[in-house]
């Protein structure tokens, strides 16, 4: 089914992204997985190519194109080359939205030029050792002291946590006010008391630096408050649908890529004197997965249009996130089975896909939380 989502500008951007991925990422990604991190030079190269700030205003060095279809192109091309360890989407799909909508003009002038160039790498710190999906349960505090906030607490599982120069930290500015006491505080590299812990060892996404962050009496200027004090929880709820759609875009693209790889494999691999793809079981499995992947693609593309129009609902984003990521798990598992013993070998792309897939139903809100969100919107 031909996609109707993109126009000539998106196609041209795809060619740029594809060329960058093939030249700058593919030859090096294995070594980055071994190292557990990508080099900062990759970020500045991406910035120079226009891959990081396309949504930012031109006066800050961006492309002036706030259109999630461009984000989709970048996600799909990174997924195509299995660049699961490149943390661009945290920067371009998640943090960009917070900075565009809630930063003051003074903050934008300070932060956005280096955001676009790749000289400043960003992260967002929500999760804590004792608080994941329940953001109201966070314990990190930011106490007002004159012209500063004094930040104390700990975050974990923070993508881009080692490389990040600018971290949007979710903290309680009024611990007694519940959701109305949460604010977003921007912490910058080098602030005394801001320390990074381990680069966490994960089963997948090996090249993605994922860190523990520690804040010990970090004095953050009040000028680094993002938006209004006490509005942080509202801001998170406003932007989480875009984050969840980003994950769904990854899932849909991954399903397509895994299927393509598996089709090539079953056509070449022979058993009992014939290609294994010619057996009825193989055909039925692949027919089922291809149908469900096509359904996912149509729904995700519709959600992208709704996001651009400003009409994507929280429930729709939750539907896209849970259903496509659970489908991704199903596709990769059944396709690995078709690879037989070779699917268990890490030199085969399907094995890496299997490991990288597992986090998809967890971060951005678990499948169970997505279903809870949907159920509540149904009045049950």
């Amino acid at each position: 089914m031909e996609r109707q989502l993109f126009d000539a500008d998106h196609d041209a951007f795809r060619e740029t992204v594809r060329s960058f991925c093939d030249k700058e990422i593919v030859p090096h990604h294995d070594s980055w997985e071994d190292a557990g991190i990508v080099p900062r030079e990759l970020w500045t190269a991406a910035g120079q190519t226009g891959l990081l700030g396309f949504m930012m205003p031109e006066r800050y060095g961006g492309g002036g194109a706030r259109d999630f279809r461009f984000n989709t192109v970048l996600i799909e091309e990174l997924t195509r080359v299995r660049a699961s360890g490149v943390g661009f989407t945290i920067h371009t799909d998640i943090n960009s939205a917070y900075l565009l909508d809630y930063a003051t003009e003074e903050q934008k002038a300070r932060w956005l030029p280096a955001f676009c160039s790749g000289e400043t790498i960003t992260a967002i710190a929500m999760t804590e050792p004792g608080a994941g999906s329940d953001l109201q349960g966070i314990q990190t505090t930011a106490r007002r002291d004159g012209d500063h906030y004094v930040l104390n607490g700990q975050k974990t599982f923070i993508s881009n946590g080692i490389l990040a120069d600018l971290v949007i930290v979710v903290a309680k500015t009024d611990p007694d006010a519940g959701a109305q006491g949460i604010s977003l505080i921007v912490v910058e590299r080098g602030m005394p008391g801001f320390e990074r812990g381990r680069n966490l060892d994960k089963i997948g996404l090996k090249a993605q630096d994922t860190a523990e962050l520690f804040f010990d009496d970090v004095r953050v200027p009040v000028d680094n408050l993002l938006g209004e004090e006490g509005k942080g929880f509202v801001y998170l709820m406003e932007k989480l649908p875009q984050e969840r759609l980003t994950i769904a875009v990854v899932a849909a693209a991954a399903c397509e890529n895994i299927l393509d790889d598996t089709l090539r494999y079953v056509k070449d691999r022979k058993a009992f004197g014939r290609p294994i793809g010619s057996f009825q079981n193989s055909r039925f499995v692949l027919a089922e997965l291809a149908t469900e992947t096509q359904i996912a693609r149509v729904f995700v593309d519709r959600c992208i249009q709704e996001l651009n129009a400003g009409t994507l609902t929280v429930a729709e984003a939750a539907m896209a996130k849970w259903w496509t990521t659970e489908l991704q798990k199903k596709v990769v598992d059944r396709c690995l089975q078709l690879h037989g013993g070779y699917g268990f070998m890490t030199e085969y792309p399907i094995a890496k896909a299997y490991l990288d897939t597992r986090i998809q139903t967890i971060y951005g809100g678990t499948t169970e939380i997505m279903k809870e969100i949907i159920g509540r919107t149904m009045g049950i």
Side-chain angles (χ1 to χ4, degrees):
M1 187 178 295
E2 183 178 353
R3 297 174 74 183
Q4 305 295 323
L5 188 64
F6 304 111
D7 60 27
D9 288 340
H10 305 108
D11 293 339
F13 184 62
R14 187 180 296 277
E15 290 302 314
T16 299
V17 178
R18 180 164 295 190
S19 176
F20 180 88
C21 289
D22 290 342
K23 179 182 177 183
E24 303 292 345
I25 295 177
V26 172
H28 312 294
H29 198 269
D30 286 348
S31 65
W32 298 339
E33 289 200 318
D34 291 339
I37 198 166
V38 303
R40 295 187 69 92
E41 290 77 15
L42 178 70
W43 285 81
T44 52
Q48 291 168 3
T49 309
L51 305 190
L52 300 181
F54 50 83
M55 77 300 294
M56 295 302 186
E58 293 181 7
R59 64 183 178 277
Y60 300 122
R66 192 171 185 183
D67 173 354
F68 197 77
R69 291 175 294 177
F70 287 104
N71 301 66
T72 299
V73 168
L74 179 60
I75 294 166
E76 290 179 349
E77 290 303 308
L78 289 170
T79 304
R80 176 185 66 87
V81 298
R82 305 178 191 87
S84 54
V86 176
F88 292 166
T89 56
I90 305 296
H91 193 77
T92 58
D93 301 344
I94 300 173
N95 294 337
S96 65
Y98 288 97
L99 295 174
L100 275 168
D101 288 344
Y102 308 130
T104 65
E105 289 305 312
E106 183 275 332
Q107 289 172 335
K108 290 176 181 178
R110 270 199 288 149
W111 294 329
L112 296 193
F115 178 104
C116 295
S117 69
E119 294 169 277
T120 287
I121 298 170
T122 64
I124 184 164
M126 302 184 201
T127 303
E128 298 181 1
S133 296
D134 179 16
L135 289 175
Q136 295 188 54
I138 63 168
Q139 298 299 310
T140 298
T141 59
R143 175 178 55 83
R144 182 72 179 260
D145 182 23
D147 293 333
H148 290 79
Y149 289 102
V150 181
L151 186 66
N152 283 282
Q154 177 182 352
K155 301 291 183 177
T156 193
F157 309 147
I158 307 306
S159 300
N160 293 347
I162 298 295
L163 288 173
D165 306 288
L166 185 152
V167 183
I168 301 171
V169 179
V170 181
K172 287 186 174 179
T173 45
D174 184 350
D176 299 322
Q180 287 70 45
I182 293 175
S183 303
L184 304 182
I185 310 291
V186 178
V187 177
E188 299 178 65
R189 178 182 290 276
M191 287 184 170
F194 171 33
E195 302 290 342
R196 300 159 209 266
R198 298 175 296 148
N199 188 357
L200 300 169
D201 187 15
K202 309 179 298 295
I203 66 170
L205 307 186
K206 287 290 190 177
Q208 170 73 68
D209 61 301
T210 306
E212 300 169 312
L213 304 181
F214 300 94
F215 309 96
D216 183 11
D217 286 339
V218 182
R219 294 186 65 82
V220 184
V222 171
D223 288 344
N224 280 26
L225 173 70
L226 195 59
E228 297 180 40
E229 186 174 297
K231 291 288 186 68
F233 191 78
V234 173
Y235 299 153
L236 292 169
M237 294 304 101
E238 288 175 350
K239 296 309 175 191
L240 277 170
Q242 180 165 316
E243 177 179 348
R244 288 165 180 159
L245 181 56
T246 293
I247 297 169
V249 172
V250 172
C255 288
E256 292 169 341
N257 292 336
I258 292 163
L259 271 175
D260 287 344
D261 285 345
T262 304
L263 278 171
R264 284 191 292 269
Y265 180 82
V266 299
K267 290 176 181 178
D268 292 338
R269 175 70 170 166
K270 290 183 171 58
F272 304 104
R274 54 194 279 203
I276 63 173
S278 67
F279 291 100
Q280 186 182 69
N281 178 70
S282 300
R283 289 201 307 271
F284 280 15
V285 167
L286 291 168
E288 177 184 328
L289 299 180
T291 301
E292 291 181 300
T293 295
Q294 185 68 263
I295 292 168
R297 165 56 60 213
V298 173
F299 182 59
V300 169
D301 280 2
R302 176 60 184 270
C303 287
I304 293 166
Q305 293 173 317
E306 296 290 336
L307 180 70
N308 272 350
T311 55
L312 180 69
T313 68
V314 170
E316 289 166 343
M319 290 175 183
K321 197 274 178 185
W322 90 255
W323 197 83
T324 59
T325 57
E326 291 290 346
L327 177 62
Q328 184 183 350
K329 280 171 54 181
K330 175 181 176 180
V331 169
V332 73
D333 183 70
R334 299 189 75 178
C335 285
L336 189 150
Q337 184 73 18
L338 289 174
H339 280 74
Y342 289 104
F344 202 62
M345 302 298 110
T346 55
E347 64 192 87
Y348 277 74
I350 189 68
K352 180 179 181 302
Y354 186 86
L355 294 172
D356 288 344
T357 290
R358 192 58 190 87
I359 189 61
Q360 285 278 88
T361 60
I362 298 173
Y363 60 12
T366 64
T367 292
E368 293 75 19
I369 293 296
M370 296 302 97
K371 291 178 180 179
E372 180 67 20
I373 290 169
I374 297 162
R376 288 179 181 178
T377 66
M378 298 169 67
I380 53 177

